[in-house]
Amino acid sequence: MKNGKYGGVVVPMVTPVTDDGHLDVASVERIVRFFADNKVAPLLMGTTGEGPSVSAEDGLRFVETAVKAAEGRILIYAGLTGNCVSSQIRQADAYTRLGADVIVATLPSYYALTEAQMEAYYLHLADSITGPLMIYNITSTTHMSIPVEVVERLSHHPKIVGLKDSERDPERLQQLIGWTKQRSDFAYFCGWAAQAAHSLIAGGDGIVPSTGNFAPDRYQGICEAVASGDQERAFRLQEEADRLGRIYQQGRTLGESLAALKVIMNAKGLCGKAVLPPLGRLGSEEEKQLVSLLPWKD
């Protein structure tokens, strides 16, 4: 782990919404303060935050609310998704003006892109927006993988500061860490939560775990344990975090797991259970069963 500006635990924060589909501002404030108290940062409107389903207006309100609630204690990462690049650029600059510290962008995913098109997209984005940019590789939603060689070339752009990689490929993980750990100007974040401890021990800069929404202490503990050389504690906390993750993820699609995660967040008193269309809530019996499995004693 390097001691750069970008590192540590960045939680892909859920987007709290009311039953009528509007941003729940009070819950945003509550969750961001909860994160700040646990020394973790939020990634707003990423995959866990239902980013593509958040309206432009609520996106602005979300960033503004989070920045104010953070009170400068933690960085604010703002997710960027979509297929209209000109709209993305306007939204990114608005997030930066509101105080977001870095923009984290997935590939536009309506069309399958060539390697050259992927590279050109990120270069155009970096040249066009005012704030720093991170690349976000997530094959499960974009159905494309940004090649390691493309990431390496992009990493030399002065405004491209890092990569959040959620591809579940051990060889790729090792390749990325192999060269990013030598760089003080480019950060590698592991979005494969089950490899959080391993990636940090190998030299990664940070981790992006969705289970951190309700158990940020486990992942912050992993980071602190790795930093102090206590690998035994790091892997013990990893096992605890993995067990918690299975409660809402196992046997569910990605969309269903996001609805289940909000049930857990509701049980913790952090936000409501509503999700944004096209996703829907779990059935009432499934919600009750899920809550009954929560090991709060941990």
Side-chain angles (χ1 to χ4, degrees):
M1 293 173 62
K2 302 190 291 281
N3 293 315
K5 179 178 180 179
Y6 307 105
V9 183
V10 177
V11 177
M13 180 177 161
V14 300
T15 297
V17 293
T18 58
D19 289 336
D20 59 1
H22 295 294
L23 188 73
D24 183 347
V25 171
S27 291
V28 172
E29 294 171 341
R30 187 179 306 115
I31 296 170
V32 171
R33 289 170 184 150
F34 173 58
F35 286 179
D37 289 344
N38 282 277
K39 302 177 183 178
V40 305
L43 165 58
L44 311 181
M45 296 171 287
T47 304
T48 305
E50 304 167 75
S53 302
V54 178
S55 71
E57 295 77 15
D58 272 346
L60 297 175
R61 191 174 299 112
F62 197 176
V63 172
E64 182 178 25
T65 302
V67 168
K68 289 180 180 177
E71 297 179 322
R73 293 195 288 163
I74 50 178
L75 296 181
I76 301 296
Y77 295 71
L80 197 65
T81 57
N83 293 295
C84 179
V85 177
S86 60
S87 295
Q88 286 187 309
I89 292 168
R90 288 193 295 272
Q91 202 77 355
D93 283 346
Y95 293 161
T96 300
R97 286 194 300 272
L98 289 169
D101 295 286
V102 61
I103 302 299
V104 186
T106 63
L107 284 171
S109 57
Y110 188 86
Y111 300 104
L113 303 177
T114 66
E115 292 185 16
Q117 289 169 332
M118 293 179 192
E119 187 170 355
Y121 164 71
Y122 280 111
L123 289 174
H124 177 56
L125 200 58
D127 287 339
S128 302
I129 67 175
T130 56
L133 174 67
M134 289 189 70
I135 302 163
Y136 183 179
N137 182 57
I138 179 164
T139 57
S140 61
T141 59
T142 66
H143 309 291
M144 292 177 281
S145 173
I146 306 171
V148 173
E149 296 78 11
V150 171
V151 175
E152 198 280 331
R153 290 197 296 271
L154 289 169
S155 73
H156 296 285
H157 191 289
K159 287 172 65 178
I160 298 179
V161 298
L163 167 73
K164 187 251 181 175
D165 198 285
S166 296
E167 191 165 342
R168 299 188 175 194
D169 181 337
E171 183 178 350
R172 177 186 174 90
L173 185 152
Q174 292 299 328
Q175 286 180 328
L176 286 165
I177 291 177
W179 62 265
T180 57
K181 68 181 179 181
Q182 310 297 330
R183 296 275 299 277
S184 61
D185 60 341
F186 190 83
Y188 169 80
F189 284 83
C190 180
W192 184 3
Q195 295 295 318
H198 172 74
S199 67
L200 292 172
I201 290 168
D205 297 280
I207 52 178
V208 190
S210 59
T211 303
N213 273 280
F214 65 92
D217 56 321
R218 302 310 200 278
Y219 293 100
Q220 179 59 20
I222 290 172
C223 279
E224 292 173 357
V226 172
S228 67
D230 190 348
Q231 294 189 15
E232 182 179 352
R233 179 168 180 263
F235 284 118
R236 176 175 58 78
L237 289 169
Q238 178 76 70
E239 290 176 3
E240 291 179 11
D242 291 347
R243 286 198 299 271
L244 292 173
R246 285 193 291 270
I247 292 173
Y248 69 96
Q249 294 173 337
Q250 196 166 45
R252 294 186 172 92
T253 66
L254 175 56
E256 289 170 334
S257 73
L258 300 184
L261 177 55
K262 284 191 173 177
V263 172
I264 297 176
M265 297 291 280
N266 179 256
K268 290 279 285 187
L270 291 168
C271 71
K273 303 175 186 177
V275 293
L276 290 166
L279 301 183
R281 281 181 53 173
L282 305 180
S284 59
E285 288 303 313
E286 188 176 359
E287 289 183 354
K288 290 177 184 177
Q289 182 182 26
L290 177 61
V291 172
S292 73
L293 297 175
L294 298 176
W296 297 129
K297 63 180 181 297
D298 285 356

